[in-house]
Amino acid sequence: MSRHPGRQEMEEVLARRHGREVQERIGRAVVGIMGLGGLGSSVAVALVRIGIGKLLLADYDAVELSNLNRQYYFADQIGLPKTVALRDTLLRINPHVCLETIHERLTEERIPLLFKGVDVLVECFDDPVMKPAALRAALTGLKGVAYVGASGMAGFGDNNRIVTRRLYPRVYLVGDEESEVGPNQGLMAPRVGIAAHHQANQVLRLLLGVDG
Amino acid sequence: MIIICNDEKKEIRPGTTIAAFLKDLGVTPDTVFVECNGVIIRRDAYETHELSEGARLELIRFVGGG
């Protein structure tokens, strides 16, 4: 078995590839991810790959077979809490990343308490009731925290209808805002992945100060 | 009476609450983020908050999936 690269070695490789100043900012950043489904699991993987400093990962659910069509889990992880399964995967990408897991069903009231102090909060819920609740919680209870939500990415509609829209300064919404999960329109890896990576790139832009 | 909803003029009856207005639009109030005259409205106020003449509503309707 090959040895793990050391922390310094990994940081050096990232800095050379991304630029030293950019990497320092990414490495200092703390990001909260609410919901570890198709969006949240892919956002987390993207952020860990670029050397994010710390992630707070929140979900109450366990990995199911039906998740594997789009979520960043593996068949041998079925039955594990998503927080545990995703932590294992992320540590395989970077054994030195700092991860905190929150295994609970989030509520509007709990969000400001749990995510105080993060640089960016990412809303990756499946439930359409929790999406506006999380936005309210962030805007009223987490002043100064940047925010990236999502709405509308089911099915196999046009790639380019998934957009990143600015709602308020440092508050963004990703998706087509229409394509709802339904009996004839399931969530599928390709389009959910487009939305997740819009979210991840928006997080990066916020961390680097490109968008305020 | 007239209100402005997402930059569009809408005719409503006096006394219309946010919840009633959303139901008339055919959307589930629980899935909508509401700002009225620049103030974020708590979910538990949708049933009691009556829209006043010229109110400026900003709605963001969320759909499920993630």
Side-chain angles (χ1 to χ4, degrees), chain A residues 38-39 125-126 128-129 131-132 135-136 139 151-153 168 180-181, chain B residues 30-33 35 40-43 46 60-66:
Chain A
L39 294 172
F125 291 125
D126 184 52
V129 174
K131 289 173 178 285
L135 179 60
R136 283 192 298 268
L139 288 173
S151 176
M153 76 296 295
Y168 295 97
E180 193 162 11
V181 191
Chain B
D30 278 341
T31 64
V32 185
F33 173 89
E35 192 190 274
I40 295 163
I41 308 297
R42 292 168 52 107
R43 173 63 190 90
Y46 288 13
I60 304 168
R61 189 207 160 209
F62 287 86
V63 297

Side-chain angles (χ1 to χ4, degrees), chain A residues 123 127-136 139 147-152 163 165-169 171-178, chain B residues 4-7 18 21-22 25 27-36 39-41 43 46 56-64:
Chain A
E123 178 272 297
D127 176 4
V129 174
M130 274 313 291
K131 289 173 178 285
L135 179 60
R136 283 192 298 268
L139 288 173
Y147 185 91
V148 184
S151 176
V163 296
R165 175 161 85 95
R166 180 182 174 279
L167 302 177
Y168 295 97
V171 174
Y172 289 83
L173 182 63
V174 166
D176 65 19
E177 299 186 45
E178 279 179 6
Chain B
I4 312 290
C5 176
N6 292 357
D7 295 325
I18 288 173
F21 180 73
L22 294 175
L25 288 178
V27 297
T28 312
D30 278 341
T31 64
V32 185
F33 173 89
V34 180
E35 192 190 274
C36 184
V39 178
I40 295 163
I41 308 297
R43 173 63 190 90
Y46 288 13
R56 295 193 76 92
L57 268 189
E58 293 293 332
L59 306 182
I60 304 168
R61 189 207 160 209
F62 287 86
V63 297

